[in-house]
Amino acid sequence: MIGVFSDSHGDLEAFDAAYELLRSKGARRFLFAGARYTDLDEWVLWRRQKSRGGREYSDADFLADVTNWLGSQDALPRTPSRAEAPADVASEDDRRLVMERFIRVPERESLQYRDPSINNKVMDLMGDTLCCVVHDKNDLTRDDLLNALLFVHGKEPDPKVVQIGPRYFLTPGRLVGAAEQTCALLEKVDRNLRFSAFRLDGHSILEPQVIVLEKKAPKLSLK
């Protein structure tokens, strides 16, 4: 299962509530469709401070993190786990485990959007279906539309599924700036996908919708 949320705009408590709700529903990976791109980093720091009882990051914390990091460099590269999503980010190893679970994209207003080393869109395989994640669907190009069948985006007030021909456009709604704070869950069901959305109190506001996708080999255009 994949948790999907977007548009937290610095509200770390809303970000945290979405993560915990989707994790409790079985999400193993997460798509964060931007606005603000840096909220993931700030949320991790916020959670770590809470785990320390609100005290400031100390020299001892720094040394412990450096020790853990150095120790991890001798280990073989890991395949990201598909086990239960981590509940804690107290240590550097916990932080790395959580960050491995996220795919995120920047919004136009962010510095990261103009950084050539950071992709404004991310392609990811969900089963045998190619999915494109983007904050603003207006950033999609003709090549994107030719390559992928599933598009996950932010910048919409309400969660919804829109089908155009064989392609589906999914949005989880917003964590901030809409009538209701919402997030979504995307799961594989047999050979298809299922999309549902929830308020942060767990109340379902978009009943599960099955997404039947045509199976085709992606024609990736590399530039």
Side-chain angles (χ1 to χ4, degrees), residues 103-183:
I103 288 175
R104 60 173 164 171
V105 290
E107 62 282 0
R108 289 185 185 182
E109 297 78 15
S110 68
L111 293 174
Q112 291 78 16
Y113 188 89
R114 296 186 287 276
D115 186 337
S117 68
I118 296 176
N119 292 325
N120 296 336
K121 292 163 281 190
V122 176
M123 294 287 190
D124 189 50
L125 276 174
M126 296 185 182
D128 56 359
T129 300
L130 189 63
C131 171
C132 178
V133 185
V134 65
H135 177 248
D136 187 343
K137 64 181 181 296
N138 290 320
D139 282 343
L140 295 172
T141 66
R142 182 175 180 275
D143 283 343
D144 298 327
L145 296 172
L146 288 174
N147 289 332
L149 288 176
L150 185 66
F151 300 86
V152 175
H153 64 91
K155 208 178 179 182
E156 294 289 344
D158 304 304
K160 58 186 174 181
V161 176
V162 175
Q163 183 180 6
I164 302 177
R167 298 170 181 82
Y168 286 85
F169 297 80
L170 316 179
T171 180
R174 295 177 179 172
L175 292 179
V176 171
E180 294 185 300
Q181 296 173 289
T182 59
C183 56

Side-chain angles (χ1 to χ4, degrees), residues 16-185:
D16 188 64
Y19 177 81
E20 288 299 335
L21 173 64
L22 296 171
R23 190 178 70 84
S24 72
K25 291 183 176 295
R28 301 295 193 260
R29 299 168 57 212
F30 300 88
L31 305 179
F32 177 50
R36 292 182 328 183
Y37 181 85
T38 56
D39 279 355
L40 173 57
D41 307 280
E42 294 182 15
W43 168 72
V44 168
L45 293 174
W46 179 76
R47 281 287 296 260
R48 294 181 72 175
Q49 187 173 16
K50 284 186 65 176
S51 71
R52 295 193 297 267
R55 63 182 174 82
E56 293 297 323
Y57 190 68
S58 67
D59 289 344
D61 295 321
F62 173 76
L63 290 173
D65 284 346
V66 170
T67 300
N68 288 335
W69 182 81
L70 290 173
S72 70
Q73 302 311 295
D74 296 329
L76 293 173
R78 297 177 307 177
T79 299
S81 173
R82 294 294 181 264
E84 183 178 350
D88 198 4
V89 292
S91 70
E92 176 61 21
D93 193 51
D94 293 333
R95 183 199 69 80
R96 189 169 58 252
L97 286 172
V98 169
M99 296 294 282
E100 285 176 355
R101 301 302 182 95
F102 273 85
I103 288 175
R104 60 173 164 171
V105 290
E107 62 282 0
R108 289 185 185 182
E109 297 78 15
S110 68
L111 293 174
Q112 291 78 16
Y113 188 89
R114 296 186 287 276
D115 186 337
S117 68
I118 296 176
N119 292 325
N120 296 336
K121 292 163 281 190
V122 176
M123 294 287 190
D124 189 50
L125 276 174
M126 296 185 182
D128 56 359
T129 300
L130 189 63
C131 171
C132 178
V133 185
V134 65
H135 177 248
D136 187 343
K137 64 181 181 296
N138 290 320
D139 282 343
L140 295 172
T141 66
R142 182 175 180 275
D143 283 343
D144 298 327
L145 296 172
L146 288 174
N147 289 332
L149 288 176
L150 185 66
F151 300 86
V152 175
H153 64 91
K155 208 178 179 182
E156 294 289 344
D158 304 304
K160 58 186 174 181
V161 176
V162 175
Q163 183 180 6
I164 302 177
R167 298 170 181 82
Y168 286 85
F169 297 80
L170 316 179
T171 180
R174 295 177 179 172
L175 292 179
V176 171
E180 294 185 300
Q181 296 173 289
T182 59
C183 56
L185 196 64

